Amino acid sequence: MSLPSDGVPALPDAEYLVLSSRLIPDLDGGYTIATLSRARQLAGAGVADGRGPQLLTFDPGTAADHAQHRETFVSRGALVDASRLRNLFDEAVDAEGGAAAWLRAVADPALVANADVEYRTIADAEGRPFVALPVIPGNPDWHLSVEPVQIFDAAGAVVGGVAGFGGLYRAWLSHLTAGLGDRPIVIICEARQLGELIAGWQDPRVRILHTIHTIHLEAPYTADAPTNALWTRWFALSDRFDAVIWPTATQRDDVVARFGTAARNETVPNPISPVACRDDLREPGLVVVLGRLAPGKRVDQAIRAFLTADVPGTRLEIWGGGPEQERLAALITELGADDRIVLAGYTDDPGRVLDRASVVLTATAFEGQPLSIVEALLHGAPVVSYDVRYGIRDVLGTGGGVLAPSGDVDALAAALRGVLADPALLARLSAEAPEVAAAWSPEKSLSALTAVIADAVARPPRR
């Protein structure tokens, strides 16, 4: 591998495909941000002459919806080339009606719909059906169903089926990769459900790298806590991937200690681009909570910690929306804190909020990746947080903030008070925050990702 001018080794010469269940603006939070950031990272490294990898999605939205998603991502600078974001259902339809030729070619006439199963018929813009999907309500393992997906011809007649969603997804991937020649094909799978469906893909050109975005544990989220049921089966097949990429070393180490070394577990921090910090906007005494108002974020504990800290001249702004909003509003009123705590609602400019903050406070019960923590530090805002899995200690353990034992409101309050009431400590944490965040820079992330890809391509496939 050659070394470009920035010192990062060049990516192996290969075709690059990124698989995501869906990519929809303002949906799925950090997952969408991280997936698109990785695609931009690969584009910047020269993949497809700077256009980036092909981003393949599998949600059955309309072609018009998907076109709007592409336009929005491009306008926000989240996507380099709109044509690289492709969707299975956009491409499973024939312009003359019915399913595309590649899908009709694999339809098995013997795979007919079960009369006892409800089906959702998907039609093109003219109302002509091209596939019908089995509806598997209330089952988190719906993607593993082998109830036949029905395939239509141009006349609207069923010509056969494929074995469930897995059969449909794999048919598209096989069609796409059939024309890619003999070069290695690097698949970066960004979703557990997709990973389970392609873990047995036996193509000597293909190397599958499975990235992780979430915590694999249930409450109380300790290293020995019960594994989330959705991940149990995935761990049983994780050794089939050519690499499993964890966003933090702590989560990787916990997994290796618990499940062993059969899988090839690696760490690649998600890339977080540098920002132009506006220290002139900083507001003394302003504490900010920024994120979705969901039970797992424990914003009620952040409110109680702020009031317990009771530092004169401080106020709390809570930015975000979600199911906890009404309950939190009632709590603030109940505590007589309407004059010091504001539910500020959703913001489309979180960077400006972080530039204004003197301290960012989080009482979350768990994290999958520490994107919000790093973003706060990039904006020069120290973070006071519970010490929870995963990622927060990986970041703040080197500076830029203070940790408190999870669930201990008094300890969180003491930590917040210590920062707000000590100007020298606050100044030191603010000054070191961008340097701490630099460990999550795009350059370091790309260097780690390149090493993992190069190693996978150099080895025989694991399937």
Side-chain angles (χ1 to χ4, degrees):
M1 294 181 293
S2 62
L3 284 172
S5 57
D6 60 5
V8 177
L11 286 164
D13 183 26
E15 297 285 347
Y16 289 84
L17 309 179
V18 174
L19 275 54
S20 176
S21 296
R22 62 188 182 188
L23 289 171
I24 299 175
D26 304 318
L27 193 66
D28 302 322
Y31 170 84
T32 299
I33 294 169
T35 299
L36 290 170
S37 293
R38 200 177 330 269
R40 292 198 310 276
Q41 179 184 49
L42 292 171
V47 168
D49 297 323
R51 293 180 296 140
Q54 296 190 63
L55 280 156
L56 307 182
T57 60
F58 298 80
D59 65 290
T62 67
D65 286 342
H66 294 140
Q68 181 60 53
H69 300 161
R70 295 183 192 97
E71 181 180 329
T72 299
F73 284 136
V74 170
S75 69
R76 294 179 179 178
L79 182 64
V80 175
D81 182 340
S83 70
R84 305 297 280 177
L85 178 53
R86 303 170 66 176
N87 178 268
L88 162 62
F89 292 90
D90 291 353
E91 301 189 9
V93 60
D94 191 281
E96 302 302 320
W102 60 265
L103 187 50
R104 295 199 309 272
V106 298
D108 183 348
L111 292 179
V112 297
N114 185 336
D116 296 326
V117 174
E118 178 186 353
Y119 273 77
R120 173 190 176 190
T121 300
I122 308 296
D124 62 18
E126 283 72 42
R128 300 172 297 191
F130 59 97
V131 297
L133 308 175
V135 177
I136 317 292
N139 185 350
D141 295 330
W142 59 268
H143 58 293
L144 299 177
S145 169
V146 293
E147 293 291 346
V149 172
Q150 300 294 277
I151 312 301
F152 294 84
D153 65 14
V158 173
V159 295
V162 294
F165 296 94
L168 178 63
Y169 295 2
R170 290 190 295 269
W172 188 41
L173 292 173
S174 296
H175 167 67
L176 293 179
T177 56
L180 294 181
D182 296 328
R183 288 202 302 166
I185 300 171
V186 175
I187 305 290
I188 299 179
C189 181
E190 303 275 9
R192 174 189 56 82
Q193 292 169 337
L194 296 175
E196 289 180 345
L197 294 176
I198 66 171
W201 189 355
Q202 295 182 345
D203 184 324
R205 301 170 299 166
V206 170
R207 302 294 185 275
I208 302 175
L209 281 59
H210 198 306
T211 62
I212 307 298
H213 295 266
T214 61
I215 191 169
H216 62 281
L217 301 169
E218 293 285 9
Y221 310 110
T222 54
D224 58 351
T227 302
N228 185 300
L230 297 178
W231 285 94
T232 302
R233 183 180 51 251
W234 180 91
F235 275 111
L237 54 79
S238 62
D239 61 341
R240 301 184 192 179
F241 302 117
D242 297 286
V244 177
I245 295 176
W246 302 91
T248 67
T250 301
Q251 189 173 15
R252 179 205 59 197
D253 293 348
D254 279 359
V255 165
V256 170
R258 185 167 181 174
F259 296 98
T261 59
R264 185 168 292 136
N265 294 292
E266 306 286 356
T267 303
V268 177
N270 287 313
I272 303 177
S273 299
V275 301
C277 181
R278 291 285 306 277
D279 286 326
D280 59 301
L281 298 178
R282 198 77 58 204
E283 297 182 18
L286 175 60
V287 180
V288 163
V289 171
L290 178 62
R292 182 165 167 73
L293 306 184
K297 298 302 182 181
R298 299 192 292 196
V299 179
D300 58 333
Q301 295 191 25
I303 290 170
R304 294 182 186 278
F306 171 78
L307 293 175
T308 301
D310 196 25
V311 178
T314 60
R315 62 200 185 282
L316 176 64
E317 290 183 357
I318 301 170
W319 290 88
E324 290 278 275
Q325 185 162 341
E326 289 187 11
R327 188 177 78 86
L328 294 173
L331 176 64
I332 293 168
T333 299
E334 175 189 334
L335 296 173
D338 291 283
D339 60 332
R340 296 185 61 198
I341 302 177
V342 175
L343 287 174
Y346 172 80
T347 176
D348 58 4
D349 192 359
R352 187 175 182 86
V353 172
L354 294 172
D355 281 335
R356 293 174 52 239
S358 284
V359 176
V360 169
L361 176 65
T362 176
T364 186
F366 60 89
E367 282 292 342
Q369 47 190 333
L371 296 179
S372 61
I373 304 297
V374 177
E375 287 169 356
L377 299 185
L378 284 170
H379 285 272
V383 178
V384 174
S385 172
Y386 281 145
D387 186 3
V388 297
R389 285 171 167 78
Y390 280 105
I392 295 179
R393 173 168 288 276
D394 295 72
V395 180
L396 299 183
T398 59
V402 180
L403 296 167
S406 179
D408 189 334
V409 173
D410 289 338
L412 188 65
L416 181 61
R417 184 187 307 115
V419 174
L420 289 171
D422 186 342
L425 174 60
L426 178 59
R428 176 174 65 80
L429 295 175
S430 299
E432 69 189 21
E435 182 178 345
V436 171
W440 301 77
S441 70
E443 294 77 18
K444 292 190 177 182
S445 175
L446 178 59
S447 182
L449 180 61
T450 298
V452 174
I453 294 173
D455 181 70
V457 169
R459 297 173 183 263
R462 298 194 115 203
R463 292 160 305 285

